[in-house]
């Protein structure tokens, strides 16, 4: 029987955000937007969903006079991402 995939991480954009954050200490909104190719509105909605699930934290502040939104992956997010990757590996190895 195949393991269940986390539906929150099974979204292409949310998975891209989590993949980016898993490899970085933190990332600002502009960087995430550039890496994912998402629109501002869609990215904002998706990071809010990840934050509501406890997978990331969102910090809003300023860089000089410019607003800055920074995202960080949480321990729960790291565990969810690791479990998701392990589940995908099981799916991929089943055909061998």
């Amino acid at each position: 029987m195949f393991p269940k995939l986390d539906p929150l991480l099974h979204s292409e954009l949310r998975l891209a955000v989590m993949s980016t954050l898993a490899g970085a200490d933190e990332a600002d909104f502009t960087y995430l937007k550039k890496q994912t190719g998402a629109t501002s509105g869609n990215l904002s909605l998706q990071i809010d969903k990840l934050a509501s699930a406890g997978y990331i934290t969102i910090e809003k502040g300023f860089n000089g006079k410019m607003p800055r939104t920074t995202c960080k992956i949480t321990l729960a997010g790291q565990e969810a991402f690791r479990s998701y990757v392990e589940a995908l590996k099981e799916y991929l190895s089943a055909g061998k």
Side-chain angles (χ1 to χ4, degrees), residues 1-83:
M1 184 169 179
F2 288 105
K4 183 173 172 142
L5 295 174
D6 184 337
L8 191 63
L9 296 181
H10 206 56
S11 154
E12 182 180 348
L13 181 52
R14 289 190 296 263
L15 184 58
V17 169
M18 291 296 287
S19 296
T20 302
L21 293 176
D25 203 23
E26 65 181 32
D28 68 18
F29 187 87
T30 304
Y31 181 76
L32 289 171
K33 185 177 170 190
K34 183 178 177 183
Q35 289 298 111
T36 62
T39 64
S40 294
N42 195 15
L43 180 58
S44 180
L45 179 68
Q46 301 311 319
I47 64 173
D48 283 346
K49 287 182 180 184
L50 291 168
S52 292
Y55 289 177
I56 67 171
T57 60
I58 301 170
E59 295 178 17
K60 294 186 181 269
F62 289 89
N63 185 12
K65 293 184 179 184
M66 297 295 293
R68 182 172 190 236
T69 301
T70 305
C71 300
K72 295 181 184 180
I73 194 168
T74 64
L75 290 175
Q78 290 172 354
E79 179 59 28
F81 184 73
R82 186 199 61 75
S83 294

